[in-house]
Amino acid sequence: MSEVTRTGPPGGSSPPGAARTGGEAPGAGAPPTDATAAEHPDRGHRDRGHPDLTRGPVLRAVLGFAVPLTLSNLLQQTYLLADGAVLGHWVGVDALAAAGVVQPLYFLADGVFLGLSTGFSIRLARFTGERSRRGPATVAAALALATVVWAALCFLVARTAGGTLLRLTGARGEVLHDAQVLLSTFSYGFPAVFAVSAVCALLRGLGDSRAQMRLMIGSSLANVLLAWFYVVVLHLGVAGAALATVTAATGTAAAGLVLLRRRRDLALHRSHDWKGVRTEAAAALRLGLPGAAQQLLIALGIVVLIRIVAPLGASLLAAVTVVGRLEFFAVTAFLDLSGALTVFVAQNLGAGRPDRVRRAVRRTLPFTLALAVAVSLAVIVLRPALAAAATTDPVTRHLVEDYILITYPCFVLYAVMAVVHGALNGIGRTVVPLVCTIVSFVAVRLPLSYLLRERHGADGVMWAVDLGWIVGALYTAIAVRRHLRRRPPRTPALPGIPWKRVLAPLLCACAVLLATAGRYGYFRDELYWLAASRHLAAGYDDQPPLVPLIVRAETWFGGDSVQVVRIAPMLFAVATALVSVLCARELAGTDEKRSHRAQQIAAIAVSTSVLVLVEGHLFTTATPGVFFWSVAIWLLLRILRTGDRRLWYGFGATLGVGMLNNDTIVILAVSLLVAAPLTGNTRLLRDRAVWLSVLLALAIASPDLVWQAVHGWPQFTMAGHLSTWAKRFTAVPMQVEAATLLTWLWVAGWRLTWKDTRYRLLPVAYAVSLAIVVAAGGNFYYPMGWYPLLLGAGAVWLADRWPTGRRWFAVFASASAVVTLALGPPLLPVSVYRHLTVVNPFNADSIGWPQLARQVAEVERRYPGATVLAVNYGEAGALAHYGPALGLPTVYADQNGYSRFGRPTGVSATTIAVGYSPQALEPYWSSCVVAGHIDNGQDVANIEQGLPILVCTGQNYTWEQLWPLLKHFD
């Protein structure tokens, strides 16, 4: 069910402590932060009987570490079964159901902490390999601090929001009451439970998995006995089961602390450096946070998967549950082998033995492959017996057998992938498993499960598992090749960012955007996003799914208001300005004074431009689109400056996420491919990393691409309707709008990048992008993602002329801000703005929507039960948003993606058609009478003003026949 590497979750950057030798394994980190190098006289220190993974046969060492971990995990599963049996037999079904309700929340909290603590294990393993005296003690103190903070946080959440979280699971009545009792009792044991996890993390880092196994044996036996005693003998009910866990965890934590206290390598000194502890905690958390994020993603992904599977019936849901449990037992050995390899690699890198790391990987992988093949064959051959042991329902048994037959031939990929992730964790590249989970599980398996479910039912859900594993294995192979190569030579360090000088103009722009966020009202696109957020899909006829998903998250957290919806565009716009600052930093070189001045100029220029003050006000796909374009271009700029080919994967990931926002970002990729040979950069076309980044982008964007393919590529139809000759003629002149009176600055930036042969690819690609937009008749704002770079480059040009250009820049920047404010945020009263709609027509489409809803509601009251049909998504979104409070029924629209949000059925006696002309509907209804005209009450000339509201009767066709005839794109 999951893509998790349990004993070695992913994390962030490489930890300190890797030895730097000529044969250093790739990804090894920097020297230790605690002055370990000064402690060489003590490096020989080691406890007697302490397992030493830096000596002896490598495969024996890895397996000797992994086997006790596997036994510990299997024993814990046995305890869970026994605990469930005690509740089910002596308390009742409600208590057992309550345990099932609480268990996911408990496992989520414990899983996130497991991810965090793995970072500490890796750090400790490095210090252990180095024979450091202070390093292990510092890690132990840092982990103790993290444990206290996490336990306190979980306790507060359980006590304040526990009931709400449990109700979200759907539990009611006695089950909900028992679940609240369980969670409340559990919460008092969080310090002990997480202390046990912390002790185990430290033991793993030291390489002592046998001590962990002994602790877990004692904990599990105590848990079972105490559960029987509290529940059966003392009759404490569900509280007794929770109390047994708390008591056993407290005893295990105490025993673990005594065990650790006896180890000299973890002894804390009175003169302990608590500043070093904080530094160590931060370094370990950088490794552990991605692991925690991975656990969270998997937990949420499983919830989504259950919702995808549920409509196919209880039998398939039961089959998925059975196979999930079977998969856990099948993969346990491989996940523990992965965890063992993590510690082995970290210790040997700390000891300066990269040769043992390479030997361990080469010898562990064949063993893993052979074991995975054996497990797969055994499960496939025994699938009838396994299905029969799990259920007596013949349909479920058949589904379990099919599930095993389809998925387990690819189980080998999953097993090998998990073990390889362990090696990458050990060298500090722990972010790889997180990205693998995002790519294979979130971006591939979940969307494909949904899409294939529609056409292939249960088989489609099963095949999605294989496809996810295949994509994950491909990504892991790419990551291995990347991290087994030497890093490119370091380039000179660039000056930092002068945050005070950069943030000042950005905060002023944010203040303007926040002050005007609620004025006028929702923009038509924002009303469409609200409707689409209630009909989430992998794609839509007119755009990919990202913006509706963001709006869904915003309204879920902050409520349904225009101010909440406009938080995201403001953040995207400010982030775009920061990208321009980063571009200026890249181009300004190592001169600190020049760099800081250029960064400040870039921040001011972008903050006073359309890119922030206009795009940051209304939530359209253009706002995040400009951000994703600019980030991809900044990464390309860094590639050209540093030659770091690894950044191509960041470029591909940005391109993929950008495609989930708006497919027009493909123009950027095409323009670069065209510009490369024109500027003598044909080597880019031969670089494997470039094409792998393209594949990564396609994988991330696959949910929308698959949806488009399944539905006949409606976005191509949409693009054809958007293309006009007028746009071809105005695309180039309208580029002036990007920076208005500061256009000369980005023109200077274009010239600066053209003159530097290293960066000439960029201005040529900009020209190609603009040419593509003109040729296609697309919207003029498609290439605006280039302007953060060009303004940043112009800032560098101006920084070299600052003594003479300072005053002119101040004048033009101030004038640009005034002009942009007139074009962007609604600062003026409506009574004044209505005379300026020709200058800025966009804000006009934020006026009059509540009045439209009231007008349609008045007509509907005269014709109760009538079907309401809107001509466009703006009207439909407004009526869907404001209509329920006025008593309006469900509103339909047959335009763009809104047409898939539902349609009427049969034949309606009366239809209220909003915004249609009588002539357009004449072929489909016998009579269409004008009942009124739309009036926004402000005399603002927007698209809706003056359009008729029709009452149509005598429908000539059924809605099923009409819907394709009425469908229109614009």
Side-chain angles (χ1 to χ4, degrees):
M1 289 282 289
S2 70
E3 312 289 337
V4 62
T5 303
R6 185 178 57 246
T7 52
S13 59
S14 179
R20 293 187 175 273
T21 64
E24 179 183 11
T33 57
D34 68 337
T36 305
E39 301 172 0
H40 283 294
D42 301 311
R43 288 173 73 105
H45 165 71
R46 196 149 184 116
D47 281 350
R48 287 184 180 178
H50 192 297
D52 189 353
L53 300 180
T54 62
R55 299 175 183 175
V58 292
L59 184 59
R60 182 186 300 174
V62 172
L63 294 180
F65 187 94
V67 170
L69 290 179
T70 302
L71 294 176
S72 299
N73 287 318
L74 292 177
L75 191 60
Q76 283 183 293
Q77 295 306 307
T78 305
Y79 148 68
L80 290 176
L81 294 175
D83 188 58
V86 170
L87 283 176
H89 284 83
W90 279 280
V91 182
V93 176
D94 288 342
L96 190 58
V101 169
V102 173
Q103 208 168 59
L105 299 178
Y106 175 76
F107 283 166
L108 178 60
D110 192 48
V112 170
F113 184 72
L114 175 64
L116 295 175
S117 63
T118 299
F120 293 88
S121 294
I122 295 172
R123 299 279 299 182
L124 179 57
R126 288 287 179 93
F127 286 126
T128 301
E130 292 169 353
R131 308 296 197 270
S132 168
R133 287 180 64 90
R134 291 182 180 271
T138 306
V139 173
L143 181 54
L145 179 63
T147 304
V148 170
V149 172
W150 182 250
L153 180 62
C154 289
F155 177 80
L156 290 175
V157 171
R159 301 301 298 176
T160 58
T164 302
L165 294 174
L166 292 173
R167 279 189 288 273
L168 288 176
T169 65
R172 295 294 183 270
E174 192 65 27
V175 173
L176 177 60
H177 175 266
D178 287 348
Q180 289 174 329
V181 172
L182 273 172
L183 184 59
S184 177
T185 309
F186 269 139
S187 65
Y188 292 104
F190 281 154
V193 169
F194 296 130
V196 171
S197 297
V199 168
C200 291
L202 292 175
L203 290 174
R204 287 197 302 273
L206 293 170
D208 195 353
S209 60
R210 295 181 181 180
Q212 176 182 337
M213 179 184 68
R214 290 192 292 269
L215 279 178
M216 290 299 100
I217 290 174
S219 176
S220 299
L221 292 176
N223 221 325
V224 172
L225 293 174
L226 287 171
W228 175 83
F229 180 72
Y230 288 147
V231 174
V232 180
V233 178
L234 299 183
H235 304 290
L236 295 180
V238 291
L243 187 60
T245 300
V246 172
T247 307
T250 303
T252 306
L257 292 175
V258 170
L259 178 64
L260 293 177
R261 191 174 180 83
R262 293 178 179 175
R263 309 187 79 102
R264 288 184 294 164
D265 44 10
L266 291 180
L268 289 174
H269 306 282
R270 292 187 178 182
S271 59
H272 202 79
D273 181 11
W274 288 104
K275 182 179 179 181
V277 170
R278 292 194 298 270
T279 303
E280 185 61 41
L285 288 175
R286 281 196 295 272
L287 287 167
L289 280 173
Q294 184 191 27
Q295 298 283 355
L296 184 61
L297 277 177
I298 291 170
L300 296 176
I302 291 173
V303 173
V304 173
L305 183 63
I306 290 172
R307 296 197 64 172
I308 292 172
V309 171
L312 296 178
S315 294
L316 180 59
L317 194 58
V320 170
T321 303
V322 170
V323 176
R325 292 175 179 174
L326 176 63
E327 182 183 305
F328 172 82
F329 282 99
V331 82
T332 292
F334 301 100
L335 295 179
D336 293 327
L337 192 60
S338 172
L341 201 56
T342 297
V343 176
F344 180 92
V345 169
Q347 282 200 13
N348 281 276
L349 286 181
R353 300 292 305 276
D355 56 313
R356 285 178 59 82
V357 171
R358 288 189 288 269
R359 288 206 310 273
V361 172
R362 285 198 298 265
R363 295 183 183 180
T364 303
L365 285 182
F367 174 82
T368 301
L369 185 63
L371 182 61
V373 169
V375 170
S376 298
L377 291 175
V379 172
I380 292 172
V381 171
L382 297 174
R383 67 185 187 279
L386 294 171
T391 179
T392 57
D393 178 58
V395 176
T396 304
R397 288 171 60 177
H398 177 71
L399 288 171
V400 169
E401 292 185 34
D402 285 350
Y403 208 128
I404 291 173
L405 194 60
I406 290 174
T407 60
Y408 268 79
C410 291
F411 177 79
V412 175
L413 296 177
Y414 180 29
V416 173
M417 182 169 53
V419 173
V420 170
H421 287 174
L424 291 170
N425 285 341
I427 65 173
R429 303 307 178 197
T430 47
V431 75
V432 172
L434 171 62
V435 178
C436 185
T437 297
I438 294 173
V439 172
S440 63
F441 188 52
V442 178
V444 175
R445 180 177 173 184
L446 293 180
L448 287 181
S449 295
Y450 174 77
L451 294 172
L452 296 177
R453 180 197 72 179
E454 301 298 321
R455 286 199 172 189
H456 304 286
D459 286 351
V461 175
M462 299 172 192
W463 283 110
V465 178
D466 288 344
L467 294 173
W469 285 347
I470 290 170
V471 171
L474 289 174
Y475 169 77
T476 302
I478 294 169
V480 168
R481 288 183 60 85
R482 170 185 171 188
H483 294 300
L484 287 179
R485 294 181 178 180
R486 292 186 179 275
R487 294 181 178 182
R490 289 186 177 272
T491 54
L494 296 176
I497 298 175
W499 286 109
K500 291 182 179 179
R501 294 158 65 179
V502 165
L503 289 179
L506 295 182
L507 292 176
C508 292
C510 285
V512 173
L513 293 173
L514 287 172
T516 58
R519 288 178 61 82
Y520 291 7
Y522 282 108
F523 183 58
R524 65 169 54 251
D525 285 15
E526 292 166 341
L527 291 167
Y528 181 32
W529 306 144
L530 287 172
S533 71
R534 295 188 290 269
H535 299 83
L536 291 178
Y540 301 89
D541 288 14
D542 44 3
Q543 88 271 321
L546 182 62
V547 172
L549 188 62
I550 293 174
V551 171
R552 177 66 172 269
E554 286 183 306
T555 54
W556 189 81
F557 282 106
D560 189 352
S561 73
V562 66
Q563 291 92 340
V564 169
V565 170
R566 288 178 178 169
I567 290 174
M570 181 188 70
L571 296 178
F572 275 120
V574 171
T576 299
L578 289 175
V579 174
S580 183
V581 170
L582 293 174
C583 290
R585 178 172 175 260
E586 291 291 327
L587 293 167
T590 57
D591 187 327
E592 184 176 21
K593 185 176 180 180
R594 181 190 189 218
S595 178
H596 285 182
R597 183 175 293 160
Q599 292 178 55
Q600 184 181 16
I601 295 170
I604 295 172
V606 180
S607 298
T608 58
S609 73
V610 167
L611 300 176
V612 172
L613 293 178
V614 175
E615 299 295 345
H617 175 59
L618 302 176
F619 200 177
T620 67
T621 55
T623 309
V626 171
F627 169 72
F628 291 125
W629 274 64
S630 63
V631 171
I633 293 167
W634 169 68
L635 288 169
L636 181 61
L637 177 64
R638 281 187 58 82
I639 292 170
L640 295 176
R641 184 182 70 85
T642 66
D644 190 348
R645 297 170 61 251
R646 297 173 301 171
L647 294 174
W648 279 113
Y649 302 108
F651 178 89
T654 304
L655 197 68
V657 178
M659 289 173 66
L660 291 176
N661 169 71
N662 194 323
D663 290 326
T664 54
I665 198 173
V666 174
I667 295 173
L668 172 61
V670 174
S671 66
L672 292 172
L673 293 176
V674 173
L678 296 178
T679 55
N681 285 283
T682 53
R683 58 184 175 80
L684 296 180
L685 302 180
R686 299 190 298 271
D687 192 336
R688 184 179 302 174
V690 174
W691 298 106
L692 290 176
S693 73
V694 173
L695 292 177
L696 177 60
L698 294 176
I700 293 174
S702 61
D704 177 56
L705 297 177
V706 172
W707 189 95
Q708 291 291 329
V710 169
H711 293 84
W713 301 99
Q715 280 204 347
F716 286 133
T717 306
M718 181 72 186
H721 284 80
L722 291 177
S723 176
T724 65
W725 279 102
K727 292 178 180 178
R728 291 185 173 91
F729 289 123
T730 59
V732 174
M734 288 297 290
Q735 299 310 304
V736 174
E737 184 177 318
T740 57
L741 298 182
L742 287 176
T743 297
W744 58 271
L745 187 64
W746 70 254
V747 172
W750 189 92
R751 291 186 59 193
L752 183 142
T753 52
W754 169 265
K755 290 180 180 179
D756 193 329
T757 55
R758 292 178 300 169
Y759 306 128
R760 188 168 292 173
L761 172 69
L762 301 173
V764 173
Y766 163 75
V768 174
S769 297
L770 190 55
I772 292 173
V773 172
V774 172
N779 290 317
F780 73 91
Y781 54 78
Y782 288 165
M784 278 198 175
W786 282 102
Y787 293 111
L789 165 71
L790 297 178
L791 287 170
V796 175
W797 174 85
L798 184 59
D800 294 331
R801 295 159 179 80
W802 190 241
T804 58
R806 175 172 50 190
R807 293 180 180 177
W808 285 108
F809 176 71
V811 171
F812 277 101
S814 302
S816 175
V818 172
V819 172
T820 306
L821 288 173
L823 292 173
L827 296 173
L828 301 173
V830 177
S831 58
V832 177
Y833 167 73
R834 68 187 182 188
H835 302 294
L836 302 173
T837 54
V838 176
V839 179
N840 177 11
F842 294 106
N843 284 336
D845 285 339
S846 298
I847 297 171
W849 298 117
Q851 291 86 343
L852 167 66
R854 285 195 291 270
Q855 284 183 272
V856 175
E858 290 175 5
V859 176
E860 196 273 337
R861 279 192 285 271
R862 297 201 300 268
Y863 300 93
T867 299
V868 181
L869 178 68
V871 72
N872 61 51
Y873 62 76
E875 295 172 2
L879 295 175
H881 182 70
Y882 298 107
L886 300 171
L888 280 177
T890 301
V891 180
Y892 304 98
D894 206 3
Q895 184 205 26
N896 299 357
Y898 209 107
S899 63
R900 298 187 187 273
F901 297 168
R903 61 169 172 78
T905 56
V907 175
S908 300
T910 305
T911 299
I912 300 173
V914 183
Y916 283 94
S917 66
Q919 295 77 14
L921 299 183
E922 184 178 343
Y924 312 121
W925 276 270
S926 300
S927 172
C928 285
V929 179
V930 177
H933 290 85
I934 299 174
D935 183 6
N936 53 48
Q938 308 279 351
D939 198 24
V940 175
N942 58 17
I943 294 175
E944 268 64 42
Q945 183 71 355
L947 292 180
I949 301 174
L950 306 178
V951 176
C952 298
T953 56
Q955 188 172 326
N956 299 326
Y957 304 93
T958 64
W959 283 108
E960 289 79 3
Q961 296 169 319
L962 269 179
W963 213 241
L965 301 174
L966 294 174
K967 179 70 177 282
H968 58 287
F969 291 88
D970 49 48

